[in-house]
């Protein structure tokens, strides 16, 4: 009986991890395939439309930066439950309301909910899955990206079925409700009570800032892809459903990379070789979108998806490597995600601005290429010797 209970507890932990991850991207990726209809109905321009993606990411950054205080005030259980409830309510409002201001408000509100969950999960992973942190990070990252891909694929289908774009955005209240009920019914083991500690000194920590900058720039392409990839191919003559399915196709490779690369990382302590492969894949993909978008679109999108999926999981894993204590690792991860997501938030806005300025998305792909190449150089800094022998202050 004890063995069965132990197995059930482990399965519940993995199931909850997947359920949480699935709810963290639909509020972003459900917008993109329906953007043409949304713009036509609300009168939003390219730059203002980009706010529907940028605002949630800004919230992710700001809330993550205060994630330590959130944990202290609410606790892990209530914090994650509140985040899921906010996502649910944002999706419900999107189904009921069709004005541009309402969409922007739900982007902020839902983004804050995503941020609450996202800020608390890495510390939970470090504690709950302490013997399988790379694998757990891979499962979490894969489910997170899988949720984004499902939203890109299914939102236009749901909108077509109900004959209104609002349904395509609002339908994602259902998985949020499911995750909330599952979280209440089968919670992971609660974090132990800690004595009050000094606040995380991220502003005084060069390595923490470097990790944050790195996390932001190696992952910022995802926000641009989610916001503008379908619009880019619609501009090139594709229809709504094929362009949305292209984003879902990208997600398949994100999920594969998010599972495969951390599993490979389990075998060693140096993350640089796998990060290098991941960044090179992104580079080739962006160059393909820039130079030959119609020749091999699925190849370019697959490479970008693989690179982004691997970079998200590996850069978070690299961050967690810097601290042994789960709570301190969670604090560092919250800081890194906070600054990183604020950097990410600029990406879709910049892409929309360049599109309005030049009439094309190609200049944005070139900017992303140079950003990834710069981070390829920075990757060399993260030798395990620099963080296994030197504790990052917390």
């Amino acid at each position: 009986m004890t063995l069965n209970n132990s197995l059930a507890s482990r399965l519940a932990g993995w199931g909850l991890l997947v359920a949480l991850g699935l709810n963290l991207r639909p509020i972003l990726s459900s917008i993109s395939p329906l953007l043409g209809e949304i713009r036509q109905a609300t009168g939003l321009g390219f730059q203002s439309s980009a706010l529907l993606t940028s605002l949630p990411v800004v919230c992710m950054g700001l809330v993550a930066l205060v994630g330590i205080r959130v944990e202290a005030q609410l606790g892990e259980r209530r914090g994650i439950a509140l985040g899921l409830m906010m996502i649910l309510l944002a999706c419900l409002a999107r189904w009921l309301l069709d004005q541009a201001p309402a969409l922007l408000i739900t982007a902020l509100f839902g983004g804050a909910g995503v941020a609450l969950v996202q800020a608390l999960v890495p510390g939970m992973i470090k504690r709950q899955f302490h013997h399988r942190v790379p694998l757990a990070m891979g499962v979490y990252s894969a489910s997170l990206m899988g949720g984004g891909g499902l939203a890109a694929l299914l939102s236009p289908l749901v909108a077509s079925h109900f004959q209104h774009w609002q349904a395509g955005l609002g339908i994602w209240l259902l998985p949020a409700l499911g995750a909330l009920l599952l979280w209440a019914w089968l919670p992971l083991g609660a974090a132990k009570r800690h004595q009050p500690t000094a606040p995380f000194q991220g502003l005084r920590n060069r390595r923490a800032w470097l990790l944050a900058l790195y996390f932001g720039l190696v992952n910022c392409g995802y926000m641009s892809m989610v916001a503008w990839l379908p619009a880019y191919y619609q501009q090139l003559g594709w229809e709504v459903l094929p362009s949305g399915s292209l984003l879902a196709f990208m997600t398949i490779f994100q999920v594969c990379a998010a599972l495969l690369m951390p599993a490979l990382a389990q075998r060693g302590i140096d993350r640089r070789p796998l990060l290098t492969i991941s960044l090179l894949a992104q580079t080739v993909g962006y160059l393909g979108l820039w130079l030959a978008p119609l020749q091999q679109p699925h190849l370019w999108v697959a490479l970008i998806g693989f690179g982004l999926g691997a970079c998200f999981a590996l850069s978070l894993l690299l961050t967690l490597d810097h601290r042994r204590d789960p709570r301190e690792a969670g604090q560092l991860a919250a800081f890194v995600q906070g600054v990183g997501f604020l950097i990410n938030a600029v990406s879709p806005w910049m892409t929309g601005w360049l599109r309005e300025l030049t009439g094309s998305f190609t200049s944005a792909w070139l900017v992303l290429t140079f950003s990834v190449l710069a981070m390829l150089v920075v990757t060399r800094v993260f030798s395990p010797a620099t963080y296994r022998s030197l504790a990052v202050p917390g």
Side-chain angles (χ1 to χ4, degrees), residues 31-361:
I31 292 284
S32 183
L34 300 170
L35 192 57
E37 297 175 48
I38 293 171
R39 290 183 61 241
Q40 185 176 6
T42 61
L44 289 169
F46 279 102
Q47 278 186 277
S48 52
S49 298
L51 291 176
L52 295 174
T53 303
S54 292
L55 287 176
V57 185
V58 169
C59 285
M60 291 179 203
L62 294 176
V63 174
L65 286 174
V66 297
I68 301 163
R69 294 184 180 179
V70 169
E71 181 190 12
Q73 293 295 321
L74 296 176
E76 185 179 277
R77 293 268 297 119
R78 286 185 293 175
I80 289 178
L82 177 60
L84 290 170
M85 178 62 72
M86 293 173 74
I87 295 169
L88 189 158
L89 292 175
C91 293
L92 177 62
R94 286 183 167 186
W95 197 320
L96 299 176
L97 305 172
D98 62 357
Q99 295 84 15
L103 282 178
L104 294 173
I105 291 171
T106 60
L108 280 170
F109 192 73
V114 169
L116 273 175
V117 179
Q118 219 162 231
L120 295 172
V121 165
M124 182 184 74
I125 287 175
K126 185 80 171 180
R127 186 192 72 254
Q128 187 74 18
F129 303 94
H130 56 280
H131 293 305
R132 294 185 176 87
V133 171
L135 180 58
M137 187 58 68
V139 170
Y140 166 65
S141 302
S143 60
L144 182 149
M145 294 161 191
L150 284 173
L153 180 64
L154 297 180
S155 289
L157 295 176
V158 173
S160 176
H161 176 77
F162 287 95
Q163 298 184 340
H164 205 295
W165 57 266
Q166 290 170 258
L169 305 184
I171 195 69
W172 300 102
L173 68 88
L174 296 178
L177 176 62
L180 184 60
L181 294 174
L182 193 60
W183 178 250
W185 182 41
L186 290 173
L188 292 176
K192 294 179 180 179
R193 292 283 182 181
H194 293 269
Q195 295 297 322
T197 57
F200 175 70
Q201 300 297 322
L203 295 176
R204 303 177 185 177
N205 189 323
R206 291 183 181 180
R207 177 50 68 95
W209 276 106
L210 181 61
L211 285 166
L213 177 68
Y214 188 79
F215 178 85
L217 291 178
V218 301
N219 292 303
C220 67
Y222 175 75
M223 301 303 173
S224 286
M225 293 296 105
V226 166
W228 298 113
L229 182 64
Y232 177 50
Y233 275 92
Q234 287 171 25
Q235 179 182 285
L236 295 175
W238 289 39
E239 297 296 330
V240 171
L241 287 177
S243 63
S245 66
L246 196 61
L247 192 59
F249 182 77
M250 182 186 83
T251 304
I252 294 173
F253 290 87
Q254 282 182 280
V255 170
C256 291
L259 289 171
L260 173 64
M261 300 299 259
L264 293 176
Q266 186 89 44
R267 301 179 179 180
I269 60 173
D270 193 346
R271 314 305 181 196
R272 293 176 297 172
L274 295 178
L275 281 164
T276 298
I277 294 171
S278 308
L279 290 167
L280 286 174
Q282 283 194 56
T283 301
V284 175
Y286 294 137
L287 287 173
L289 287 186
W290 175 39
L291 297 173
L294 294 176
Q295 276 66 31
Q296 297 289 340
H298 288 85
L299 175 61
W300 313 137
V301 168
L303 286 169
I304 293 170
F306 183 90
L308 288 170
C311 280
F312 182 85
L314 291 172
S315 57
L316 266 183
L317 180 59
L318 176 68
T319 300
L320 294 178
D321 285 343
H322 280 70
R323 298 300 284 173
R324 289 176 180 253
D325 179 73
R327 187 165 185 262
E328 293 176 355
Q331 290 177 348
L332 179 59
F335 175 80
V336 166
Q337 288 186 95
V339 176
F341 283 126
L342 290 176
I343 295 171
N344 286 179
V346 177
S347 181
W349 178 88
M350 177 206 71
T351 304
W353 176 71
L354 289 172
R355 165 63 179 81
E356 284 197 341
L357 185 68
T358 65
S360 171
F361 288 103

